[in-house]
Amino acid sequence: MITTNRFKKVNAKVAALVVAGMTWVMGVPTFAATDLELPVEHATLTVAPIVPPPIVRDHPAKVIVTLETIEKVGRLSDGVEYTFWTFGGQVPGNFIRIREGDHVEFNLNNHPSSKMPHNIDLHAVTGPGGGATSSFTAPGHSSRFSFKALNPGLYVYHCATAPVGMHIANGMYGLILVEPEEGLPPVDKEYYIMQSEFYTKGSYGEEGLQPFDMAKALSEIPDYVVFNGAVGAIAGDNAMRADVGESVRIFVGNGGPNLVSSFHVIGEIFDKVYVEGGDMVNHHVQSTLIPAGGSAVVEFLVDVPGTFILVDHSIFRAFNKGALGMLKIDGDEDLAVYSGKQEDSVYLPEGGGIQSIAERGSVSVKAKSKEERILFGERTYAQNCMACHQSSGQGIPGAFPPLAGSDYLLSSPNRSIDVLLHGLSGEIVVGGQSYNGVMPAVQLSDESIANVLTYVLNSWGNNGGVILPEQVIERRTH
């Protein structure tokens, strides 16, 4: 983020050590009393996707950073819990913002309830283990070390206690920004996103408290790939926001522990990408690679309103494993930039047929009541049906029939079961309107089909009822 050459960087490091008053005592680097004369401030730490405000001072300071490691159960997805190991009680850990030349006093506290020792490796640190060798902290203990911020850039931090991969896979990572001396160019909005993977005993969407699966982690086959620690963490009501005409900067990290991210915002082009969080800037970029343990800074101006979807463009991760977020833009349309749909007409070439879509995650927990069946069915609907039939069951005119008030659906529950089991192709009439398309056979379990149909029957003003797995089994063998 600041243009330097090798000679300048080496001399900057030497100068920084002189200014800090570093001396050597019995071969150990020690900061002399002059360092204590720097102004002291406590770092502002924020929870993703919030970023601390830009640094406005034009001089170095002694910055005190205090982080707590704590192990806690939290939400991984709807109905799915996980025991996260965290920095600051959240995944990812708190965002840390300092300035090039700052002297940082770092305090790491390990909560007494922790079962494991933890430490921290900050990629911004020049020193053994990035601080890991000086911060090994047992439960109920605190550690402190200091470092000089020599190099500007956006850096990952993570736990480096053995087994390192397991500590990272359980949620122990975050970002630290070292602003260049002259600061970053101002923008209207800044956000913090971190991608990572989770490896669970159960498959994607399998409910309950899920333990870590070391075999899957070693094979690098995650069940979840997510932004900010959970499915939907920055989607829906949690979406990031901006207004038309504003400039947006996103600090993006990849905690891994294994996969490379292909970060992309659907419907936007990055005006600038600070490649790998450093000072090399690329322009007009569609997707940017972020290695495990790496980062990038992306910037763009928003020109039109709408909901822009953030994804890992290794696309099955986005739509089947959770790597999906939202940036909602408010403001006036600009039809010269984007017109919206201008025409919708029927196109029916020859060919086609009934396809099938496999269930994304089988539900191992059985519904014990109508209320639970509706709840589980709502989750299945969101994962498999909402894109076509929409959030309120209204369908899409001329393309997908409505489920709300559907005479086709409500007049024959068995027919509805058959459609989910075997698919449907050809013309049907719903509410007096003709639809001629293809409904894929969605390969759901008997339990999930019963759940989702019960949810539909009891939603959007429909007349209620319950579908049981036994009914689905009977139709499957019919």
Side-chain angles (χ1 to χ4, degrees):
M1 297 184 198
I2 178 173
T3 303
T4 58
N5 55 41
R6 187 177 182 87
F7 179 79
K8 180 179 176 182
K9 288 177 68 177
V10 170
N11 281 280
K13 290 185 180 184
V14 173
L17 298 182
V18 172
V19 169
M22 177 176 277
T23 59
W24 294 80
V25 179
M26 297 183 68
V28 178
T30 305
F31 286 96
T34 53
D35 184 72
L36 302 179
E37 298 172 2
L38 290 173
V40 177
E41 62 181 54
H42 290 265
T44 299
L45 306 180
T46 57
V47 173
I50 305 303
V51 177
I55 295 172
V56 296
R57 54 184 164 81
D58 60 358
H59 56 271
K62 178 180 178 180
V63 181
I64 299 174
V65 178
T66 302
L67 270 185
E68 180 185 56
T69 61
I70 185 168
E71 302 162 12
K72 58 188 293 188
V73 174
R75 174 190 171 278
L76 180 56
S77 184
D78 288 341
V80 182
E81 292 185 318
Y82 190 84
T83 301
F84 297 97
W85 298 354
T86 74
F87 289 106
Q90 303 288 332
V91 177
N94 297 133
F95 194 100
I96 305 169
R97 191 169 198 158
I98 59 176
R99 179 184 180 274
E100 181 184 8
D102 282 349
H103 170 61
V104 180
E105 176 190 294
F106 201 97
N107 300 275
L108 189 68
N109 303 324
N110 192 354
H111 195 274
S113 65
S114 295
K115 295 180 172 61
M116 297 288 292
H118 299 294
N119 64 4
I120 191 165
D121 169 2
L122 300 111
H123 291 186
V125 169
T126 300
T133 59
S134 303
S135 60
F136 184 85
T137 310
H141 287 251
S142 298
S143 297
R144 182 174 69 246
F145 68 98
S146 297
F147 69 93
K148 183 68 66 175
L150 299 178
N151 300 89
L154 180 66
Y155 300 95
V156 167
Y157 67 79
H158 60 85
C159 187
T161 300
V164 178
M166 183 177 180
H167 284 250
I168 296 174
N170 283 340
M172 301 197 77
Y173 39 78
L175 289 180
I176 176 170
L177 172 67
V178 182
E179 285 201 30
E181 291 178 346
E182 71 274 19
L184 294 175
V187 294
D188 296 306
K189 296 286 173 61
E190 292 184 325
Y191 288 108
Y192 166 30
I193 296 174
M194 203 153 191
Q195 180 174 317
S196 63
E197 310 117 46
F198 289 92
Y199 301 83
T200 58
K201 290 291 185 182
S203 60
Y204 179 87
E206 189 167 325
E207 304 206 350
L209 179 61
Q210 291 293 331
F212 169 74
D213 190 312
M214 179 62 84
K216 289 181 180 178
L218 291 171
S219 299
E220 302 185 6
I221 305 175
D223 300 278
Y224 297 85
V225 183
V226 299
F227 296 137
N228 288 359
V231 176
I234 50 172
D237 293 340
N238 301 318
M240 302 175 295
R241 292 187 175 273
D243 294 324
V244 168
E246 287 189 320
S247 52
V248 176
R249 174 183 291 138
I250 305 178
F251 300 102
V252 190
N254 183 8
N258 292 318
L259 303 182
V260 172
S261 172
S262 302
F263 185 70
H264 176 75
V265 178
I266 300 174
E268 266 297 349
I269 298 166
F270 303 140
D271 299 323
K272 291 182 180 180
V273 174
Y274 293 88
V275 180
E276 297 184 3
D279 59 14
M280 184 172 72
V281 179
N282 202 352
H283 297 273
H284 313 307
V285 176
Q286 57 191 317
S287 301
T288 189
L289 287 174
I290 306 174
S295 65
V297 184
V298 302
E299 297 178 0
F300 51 93
L301 183 72
V302 289
D303 299 291
V304 295
T307 298
F308 293 80
I309 306 300
L310 292 71
V311 297
D312 180 340
H313 215 296
S314 297
I315 208 70
F316 278 101
R317 299 176 190 172
F319 295 105
N320 298 80
K321 295 192 174 187
L324 186 148
M326 295 179 181
L327 174 64
K328 294 188 177 182
I329 307 300
D330 296 318
D332 296 330
E333 301 278 357
D334 186 341
L335 299 183
V337 175
Y338 181 73
S339 71
K341 182 178 285 189
Q342 295 175 311
E343 182 180 352
D344 188 347
S345 57
V346 175
Y347 175 68
L348 293 174
E350 292 185 8
I354 298 176
Q355 300 174 328
S356 64
I357 300 176
E359 182 173 13
R360 294 174 182 167
S362 60
V363 178
S364 61
V365 179
K366 309 297 183 185
K368 300 181 179 63
S369 64
K370 177 181 177 180
E371 290 71 24
E372 282 196 352
R373 199 167 296 286
I374 292 171
L375 175 64
F376 297 163
E378 182 178 13
R379 296 168 185 164
T380 301
Y381 182 86
Q383 291 179 347
N384 296 275
C385 315
M386 187 184 295
C388 295
H389 295 290
Q390 302 295 288
S391 60
S392 298
Q394 73 269 29
I396 298 176
F400 302 106
L403 302 181
S406 169
D407 51 356
Y408 185 89
L409 167 70
L410 301 177
S411 63
S412 176
N414 282 343
R415 179 164 57 191
S416 302
I417 295 172
D418 291 345
V419 169
L420 288 181
L421 286 174
H422 308 299
L424 179 67
S425 180
E427 185 175 2
I428 62 172
V429 177
V430 181
Q433 299 295 315
S434 177
Y435 295 85
N436 194 342
V438 174
M439 164 67 188
V442 183
Q443 296 178 6
L444 299 169
S445 67
D446 299 329
E447 178 80 14
S448 293
I449 290 176
N451 292 344
V452 73
L453 288 177
T454 300
Y455 167 69
V456 170
L457 289 173
N458 290 273
S459 300
W460 319 307
N462 289 342
N463 58 8
V466 175
I467 302 294
L468 298 175
E470 291 77 13
Q471 294 173 258
V472 181
I473 293 170
E474 193 277 331
R475 296 306 299 175
R476 192 183 288 275
T477 57
H478 183 69

